[in-house]
Amino acid sequence: ELPKRLGMFRSIPRTEGVSTTDIVGRMLYLTREHHDHTYKAKRRKDSIGSTDSASASDLLSRQKQSPEIFNRASQFLTTTRLLRIFSAGQKEPPPNAKIVYIQGAFDMLHIGHVKTLKRAKELGDYLIVGVHNDNAVNRVRGANYPIMNLNERVLSVLGCRYVDDVLIDAPWIITRDMIASLNISLIVTGTVADTEFPNREKDPYQVAKDLGIFQNIKSESNVTVGSIVQRVVDNESVFKKKVEKKMRAEREYYSSRYGYNKN
């Protein structure tokens, strides 16, 4: 009430399809439906059986207790109009600009990511951020990662003030052709990562290292998407009640706005 009286309050309309309820549900129930709008039951069963953070029987038990939460696929619709809105204000790099490139999953964009992106931008004139696709991230991290799908993660990164451009579905391995095409001067990465590269993985930064344009950025935060998920899981009973309450509110919203219930 006070902010309204002071003229400091602003109500921002919700973005259709964006739901914290869905995201919390993904963390609680380790689903992978958000990776695919046409997710099949067999794939869900396979992903449950392959998770490391909980037993298959435990997850199936959770599914039976809360099937409505467990079976919710992403309803987020990424249109070119939405991309234009999120990328408003972006400009071409100025002549002779020092272009910095950083890549990753940027899942659940958090303070650790933002601090690293800020530092990366300070190292040059123009920052390009590469965001890997869902399959590439899941291949390395496993379980139900990434929590947010590619479209959701791209828009999150686009909304960061330090980012000048986003490379969507960025190649995992950085090549000479890619460096030349994007006119990259410096390639950086943070020192804190959600998952270490398996020994069998080829170093994605080897070309940049060979060219002498690679630099590590000391991460200023130890926050990772894994630590965020763990906090949610540790407080499962509390979040479960909140999720169920918000789901009821969402159904009422969509019923009132469109005359139907959102499943």
Side-chain angles (χ1 to χ4, degrees), residues 218-233:
K218 181 174 175 55
S219 299
E220 298 179 21
S221 171
N222 291 323
V223 174
T224 65
V225 66
S227 65
I228 295 172
V229 170
Q230 193 58 53
R231 278 186 287 180
V232 172
V233 172

Side-chain angles (χ1 to χ4, degrees), residues 50-104:
S50 66
T51 55
D52 297 326
S53 43
S55 68
S57 60
D58 179 46
L59 291 173
L60 287 171
S61 175
R62 296 185 194 181
Q63 179 186 6
K64 290 176 181 178
Q65 293 170 14
S66 304
E68 191 173 16
I69 299 175
F70 200 96
N71 296 319
R72 286 162 62 92
S74 173
Q75 302 296 320
F76 186 58
L77 305 176
T78 307
T79 63
T80 54
R81 175 177 173 274
L82 196 59
L83 285 170
R84 287 197 300 271
I85 291 172
F86 273 77
S87 57
Q90 290 190 345
K91 300 178 181 179
E92 292 290 323
N96 302 315
K98 181 179 181 180
I99 297 177
V100 180
Y101 177 79
I102 186 171
Q103 66 178 14

Side-chain angles (χ1 to χ4, degrees), residues 16 247-263:
E16 296 293 326
M247 283 178 63
R248 289 194 294 270
E250 278 189 8
R251 286 195 297 270
E252 292 173 2
Y253 167 81
Y254 281 98
S255 177
S256 172
R257 184 173 176 84
Y258 301 114
Y260 70 90
N261 289 329
K262 178 175 178 279
N263 296 321

